Amino acid sequence: MSEAASAHPSRRPSLVVTGAIWLSIGLALACALVVGLVLPALPPLPGRLEADALTGMVSSVGDVVGRLAAMAVLGLLAAVVAFVPAGPDGALSAPARRIAGWAGRAAQLWFVASLLMTFANPAFVTGIPLGYTLRPDIWADFLRTTPSALAWLVSAVVALATVAVVYRARSASAFAVCWVAGAAASVFIAVTGNVSVGLDHDWATDAAGVATLAGVVLASGAVAVVAAALAGAPEVEATRRYRRWSLPLLALAAAGYALVAWQQLAGESPLAVVAGAPVVAGGVLVVLLLANRLRPAPSAAGPALTAVALDVALLVLGVAALGAATHLPPPRFLVPQSSQVNYLGYEVDVPATAALVAGPGRPNLLWALLALTAIAAYGWGVVRVHRAGGRWPVSRLLPWLGGWLLVGYLATSGLWMYSTAVFSWHMLLHMTVNMMVPVLCVLGAPFTLREAASGEPGDAALPGPRDVLAALTANRFVRFLLSPPVVWVNYVASLFVVYFTPLFGWLMRYHWAHQVMLLHFMLAGYLFFGLLIGPDRHPWQLPYLVRFALLISVMPFHAIFAVGIMMARTVIGEEFYDTISVGWVGDLLADQNIAGQITWFTGEVPAFIAVIVLAAQWFRSDSREAAAADRRADSGEGEDELGAYNDMLAQLAERDREQGRTGGVR
């Protein structure tokens, strides 16, 4: 890596580059101030209290400051992980240590702004004075009842943890963990805003989450390139890496935000309403970013860095547009909605039939996109392996395709649409996502495919995906999360914690929370079955006897869980199901009994498949070991071991004879 660094010496950004970024930050803050001044002049929404001028101003400015600080921190973390050369033995290099110091200071600002927003955001949303939320008891109540305030609290916790980590960590893996947590916190804030209100908010929420994640990755890369140059690291390879993925990420983010704008405007022209101003500004910024990306890549380091810095400046202004869109009430707020639309985003007044459940239905955008991405990425990996002259087993390709095609079918079928309103259909979907899909997907060995398709680990200067994955696997916190006790407890206890507590009813009230619940159950199932039957290398390699014991041990708990659902005398999530009032469902307890039966049956089938697969893997492993031992014996390699073993037996027999003679003399 040092040779690569010397071949491409670093170039510090010019004053024009840094000046453009600081100018954009100033404009973003000015935009937040303007929004705070405009809010009191807007007509009040029907049936809703309006926040006073001070509360609106603090919320508007605090929102933009928090988002900008998060953008800076995540970009600096990304720079340490993937945009500066690693030091010897995986330690932080000198530029990385310098960037880590900047990240620590930016994370402190992120923490303060996020903590302030836990007070200002619920005050603005509910239309009460900011001082009222400063009371600890009122603040705690708002955290329980206002998802956006809870999202800012999560952001504050992640920021505080990042401050602690960046000053203590000595390897890039800890920075990668912080980046993942920060990206999740940013998505959490996005999906709990205005997008969670009104007709089609299920689509808008999914689109906002996907667009935010794409934007976070895009902004992290742009900030990381500039930070690497400021820290004295060679920016040529970093710039090339950023440009490789910037265009598809920008297109994905633009498509997601366009869908959000369509839902929020509710048929109004963006030029006819105040809430359309951020939409227009965002469209202009996307066009400018596209124009900057579509220009031929400069061959010299200086112009290339300037182009990336321009991206950073435009993305900063994009953050200001998002902050404005969060505070300016959209036309969607003025459209009356039923309780079903309020909670689900659509109506389910048509009774479910076999044809409606099995046939095409309202698509779940997030899961459909996940299925499409998983299949496309896997296929791309297989193609790369074959182009390199290798072969990828069909026995791994088919389970992966089967698992994600099943997800794709469910995500576009009527079953998924009705599962949000009928508990029995929900449990069928849940058990499929929690057990059947993970069992199939782990057999596809996606991480082994990623390693086979990536070629050499890393390039001449920067860490590659294989390096980052290897570092994460070696991270102590990640190893703890992947340890057998944690994986087992998470897989088993999650069922009882979610469904036998008030948590289930709360999660079903919000589309984003329902999505998080299903994602958690799929991840829990993947980690559990990956530990037991996954072909991928695992940080915790268990003997087959222990794997078999772990698999058998969860079966009684699944049976207890299913029986508990059937025998319950109260309706699980009763308040939620009463509120959406789906009249054709009938007796909720009878439907819950059916849900318990579905849970029992659908849990047995994947478990049986896992037992068969584990037994086959165990048999093949023993057969390979026996064959290897036979080959060593035939080749004479095992004669020394056999002779040593016979000598040990002879020594033991001689010692027994001597003890016998001694005992006889006595």
Side-chain angles (χ1 to χ4, degrees), residues 406-465:
L406 178 59
V407 171
Y409 164 72
L410 293 175
T412 55
S413 69
L415 173 61
W416 202 298
M417 179 179 68
Y418 283 108
S419 70
T420 59
V422 185
F423 186 65
S424 56
W425 295 123
H426 165 83
M427 290 310 302
L428 175 59
L429 178 68
H430 159 80
M431 296 305 295
T432 304
V433 169
N434 182 232
M435 295 192 69
M436 179 61 76
V437 171
V439 166
L440 294 173
C441 288
V442 297
L443 296 177
F447 293 100
T448 303
L449 175 63
R450 179 69 185 87
E451 186 173 335
S454 60
E456 294 298 323
D459 54 38
L462 300 178

Side-chain angles (χ1 to χ4, degrees), residues 597-612:
Q597 299 176 43
I598 292 174
T599 302
W600 199 332
F601 174 75
T602 54
E604 294 297 324
V605 175
F608 178 74
I609 295 175
V611 168
I612 297 299

Side-chain angles (χ1 to χ4, degrees), residues 340-488:
Q340 292 183 9
V341 170
N342 182 46
Y343 285 107
L344 307 179
Y346 53 89
E347 301 276 0
V348 284
D349 289 334
V350 179
T353 62
L356 290 176
V357 170
R362 183 182 182 88
N364 187 293
L365 294 187
L366 175 63
W367 286 88
L369 182 60
L370 283 176
L372 182 63
T373 303
I375 293 174
Y378 198 91
W380 173 78
V382 172
V383 170
R384 283 186 58 111
V385 170
H386 281 269
R387 284 181 177 176
R391 293 180 64 256
W392 188 251
V394 178
S395 59
R396 293 183 179 179
L397 173 63
L398 293 181
W400 182 267
L401 291 178
W404 284 108
L405 286 174
L406 178 59
V407 171
Y409 164 72
L410 293 175
T412 55
S413 69
L415 173 61
W416 202 298
M417 179 179 68
Y418 283 108
S419 70
T420 59
V422 185
F423 186 65
S424 56
W425 295 123
H426 165 83
M427 290 310 302
L428 175 59
L429 178 68
H430 159 80
M431 296 305 295
T432 304
V433 169
N434 182 232
M435 295 192 69
M436 179 61 76
V437 171
V439 166
L440 294 173
C441 288
V442 297
L443 296 177
F447 293 100
T448 303
L449 175 63
R450 179 69 185 87
E451 186 173 335
S454 60
E456 294 298 323
D459 54 38
L462 300 178
R466 288 178 61 178
D467 304 306
V468 176
L469 285 175
L472 278 175
T473 304
N475 182 270
R476 286 182 295 177
F477 179 68
V478 175
R479 284 181 59 85
F480 169 75
L481 294 179
L482 297 179
S483 62
V486 173
V487 170
W488 189 93

Side-chain angles (χ1 to χ4, degrees), residues 182-222:
S186 299
V187 173
F188 193 7
I189 292 172
V191 299
T192 53
N194 294 343
V195 295
S196 61
V197 177
L199 183 67
D200 299 319
H201 76 255
D202 55 327
W203 289 348
T205 301
D206 289 347
V210 172
T212 301
L213 183 58
V216 165
V217 178
L218 177 65
S220 296

